[in-house]
């Protein structure tokens, strides 16, 4: 059976343009519209969305992979409120089930914050003009919009202020190695130290997975060595809180014996006095939903939308 992508190639336009024609959107010229519809007639192509009674589905899918991270709740709240204002429904799912929902027969588009879904899977979903907003990576496709945290400048600011406070020996607990967040956050640590002629000793780099347990284990490994860094920068709050628990079990004072910082500003961070980077998660979700609705209405994806963050100084550093 012929696919939308083939119709686009024959018409000399993008899959998104074909999708806009088939969904009756007004952002396509009349000549292109007629050409696409004539090709559909000649080839017998029937778009999946036409099987829906009442027209295009008004359901959006949000998929994510980690139920332990509390900030998802604020993201979901922002997404839900934006969609509700625009008369769309929301379905929340995980990577295992998302393939069943990220289809034009079922939903109008998807928002993805799931490291378990590969770039190839997302690009394949979008190849027929299915709109997708990604919140954990940058992908180049006119049906995919990236809405990501602007990690680098705020992490540079955090590390520079720590240096000005007198810290010179830094440790780092990273998240998932290939995640954009971890890559950008560690790059900021290294470059800021380098700009201040301070080395980063690789023995103080520990791998984590953004969960509290991995931060706890990293700190336990650190305690087995003969020397601790002066400050431990963690790629998120959960790992920072896990590391703090391990240090306190050993009787260490924070920040007296070792300072600790996080990233996210989850609810527990404030309770524990954790110095961290605050990300407006509700606004992050709301803007992701807004960008998706723009794609659904026929706008082509442009440059990534970067969410600003700010350092929140508390007692741990």
């Amino acid at each position: 059976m012929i696919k939308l992508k083939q119709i686009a190639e024959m018409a000399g336009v993008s899959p998104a343009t074909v999708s806009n024609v088939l969904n009756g959107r007004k952002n396509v010229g009349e000549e292109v519209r007629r050409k696409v519809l004539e090709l559909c007639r000649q080839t017998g192509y029937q778009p999946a969305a036409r099987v829906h009674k009442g027209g295009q589905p008004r359901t959006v899918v949000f998929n994510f992979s980690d139920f332990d991270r509390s900030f998802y709740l604020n993201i979901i709240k922002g997404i839900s409120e934006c969609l509700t204002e625009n008369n769309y429904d929301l379905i929340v799912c995980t990577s295992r089930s998302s393939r069943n929902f990220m289809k034009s027969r079922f939903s109008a588009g998807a928002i993805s914050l799931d490291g378990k879904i590969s770039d190839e899977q997302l690009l394949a979903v979008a190849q027929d003009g299915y709109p997708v907003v990604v919140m954990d990576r940058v992908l180049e496709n006119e049906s995919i919009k990236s809405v990501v945290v602007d990690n680098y400048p705020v992490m540079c600011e955090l590390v520079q202020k720590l240096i000005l406070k007198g810290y010179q020996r830094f440790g780092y607990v990273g998240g998932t190695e290939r995640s954009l967040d971890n890559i950008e956050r560690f790059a900021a640590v290294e470059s800021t130290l380098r700009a201040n002629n301070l080395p980063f000793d690789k023995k103080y780099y520990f791998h984590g997975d953004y969960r509290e347990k991995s931060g706890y284990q990293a700190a336990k490994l650190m305690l087995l060595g003969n020397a601790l860094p002066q400050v431990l920068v963690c790629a998120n709050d959960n790992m920072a809180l896990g590391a703090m628990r391990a240090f306190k079990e050993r009787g260490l004072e924070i920040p007296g014996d070792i300072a600790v910082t996080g990233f996210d500003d989850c609810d527990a961070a404030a309770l524990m006095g954790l110095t961290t980077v605050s990300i407006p998660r509700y606004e992050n979700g709301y803007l992701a939903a807004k960008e998706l609705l723009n794609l659904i209405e026929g706008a082509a994806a442009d440059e990534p939308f970067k969410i600003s963050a700010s350092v929140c100084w508390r007692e741990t550093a």
Side-chain angles (χ1 to χ4, degrees), residues 6-70:
Q6 292 170 288
I7 296 290
E9 290 172 352
M10 288 188 287
V13 298
S14 70
T17 298
V18 176
S19 178
N20 291 338
V21 171
L22 297 176
N23 285 296
R25 294 168 187 150
K26 299 179 180 180
N27 60 339
V28 181
E30 190 57 34
E31 183 179 347
V32 172
R33 185 184 305 279
R34 283 200 302 266
K35 187 176 183 179
V36 168
L37 292 176
E38 178 60 21
L39 284 169
C40 290
R41 186 190 67 78
Q42 292 175 2
T43 59
Y45 175 75
Q46 290 292 323
R50 289 185 180 179
V51 303
H52 288 271
K53 295 179 180 179
Q56 185 183 12
R58 297 190 71 84
T59 300
V60 164
V61 176
F62 174 59
N63 56 1
F64 66 104
S65 58
D66 191 344
F67 285 92
D68 291 339
R69 300 174 72 186
S70 61

Side-chain angles (χ1 to χ4, degrees), residues 70-95:
S70 61
F71 69 73
Y72 278 115
L73 296 176
N74 285 327
I75 291 175
I76 292 171
K77 184 178 180 182
I79 292 172
S80 179
E81 291 194 7
C82 180
L83 295 178
T84 298
E85 290 170 5
N86 289 277
N87 299 313
Y88 276 80
D89 295 322
L90 174 65
I91 287 182
V92 179
C93 62
T94 61
S95 53

Side-chain angles (χ1 to χ4, degrees), residues 18-189:
V18 176
S19 178
N20 291 338
V21 171
L22 297 176
N23 285 296
R25 294 168 187 150
K26 299 179 180 180
N27 60 339
V28 181
E30 190 57 34
E31 183 179 347
V32 172
R33 185 184 305 279
R34 283 200 302 266
K35 187 176 183 179
V36 168
L37 292 176
E38 178 60 21
L39 284 169
C40 290
R41 186 190 67 78
Q42 292 175 2
T43 59
Y45 175 75
Q46 290 292 323
R50 289 185 180 179
V51 303
H52 288 271
K53 295 179 180 179
Q56 185 183 12
R58 297 190 71 84
T59 300
V60 164
V61 176
F62 174 59
N63 56 1
F64 66 104
S65 58
D66 191 344
F67 285 92
D68 291 339
R69 300 174 72 186
S70 61
F71 69 73
Y72 278 115
L73 296 176
N74 285 327
I75 291 175
I76 292 171
K77 184 178 180 182
I79 292 172
S80 179
E81 291 194 7
C82 180
L83 295 178
T84 298
E85 290 170 5
N86 289 277
N87 299 313
Y88 276 80
D89 295 322
L90 174 65
I91 287 182
V92 179
C93 62
T94 61
S95 53
R96 183 170 298 179
S97 59
S98 62
R99 294 181 186 180
N100 298 323
F101 298 125
M102 293 172 68
K103 298 176 180 178
S104 59
R105 289 184 175 88
F106 185 85
S107 57
I111 300 171
S112 180
L113 181 52
D114 190 344
K116 294 180 181 178
I117 297 181
S118 68
D119 292 354
E120 292 72 22
Q121 287 176 289
L122 291 167
L123 290 168
V125 165
Q127 72 177 356
D128 287 340
Y130 180 84
V132 179
V133 166
V134 288
M135 301 179 70
D136 59 353
R137 70 197 79 184
V138 174
L139 294 176
E140 293 187 6
N141 184 291
E142 66 177 9
S143 293
I144 300 179
K145 174 76 174 186
S146 297
V147 177
V148 293
V149 176
D150 201 4
N151 293 290
Y152 189 87
V154 72
M155 183 62 97
C156 287
E157 178 187 344
L158 171 67
V159 174
Q160 185 63 47
K161 185 63 179 291
L162 289 169
I163 293 170
L164 293 175
K165 283 174 171 277
Y167 297 108
Q168 295 188 343
R169 194 168 65 252
F170 282 69
Y172 183 80
V173 180
T176 308
E177 283 295 288
R178 296 180 62 185
S179 68
L180 178 67
D181 285 342
N182 186 67
I183 291 170
E184 292 186 341
R185 292 169 192 178
F186 183 61
V189 172

Side-chain angles (χ1 to χ4, degrees), residues 155 158 232-237 240 260-264 274-277:
M155 183 62 97
L158 171 67
L232 181 63
V233 177
C234 300
N236 82 334
D237 288 346
V260 180
T261 69
F263 206 110
D264 286 335
L274 175 65
T275 291
T276 186
V277 171

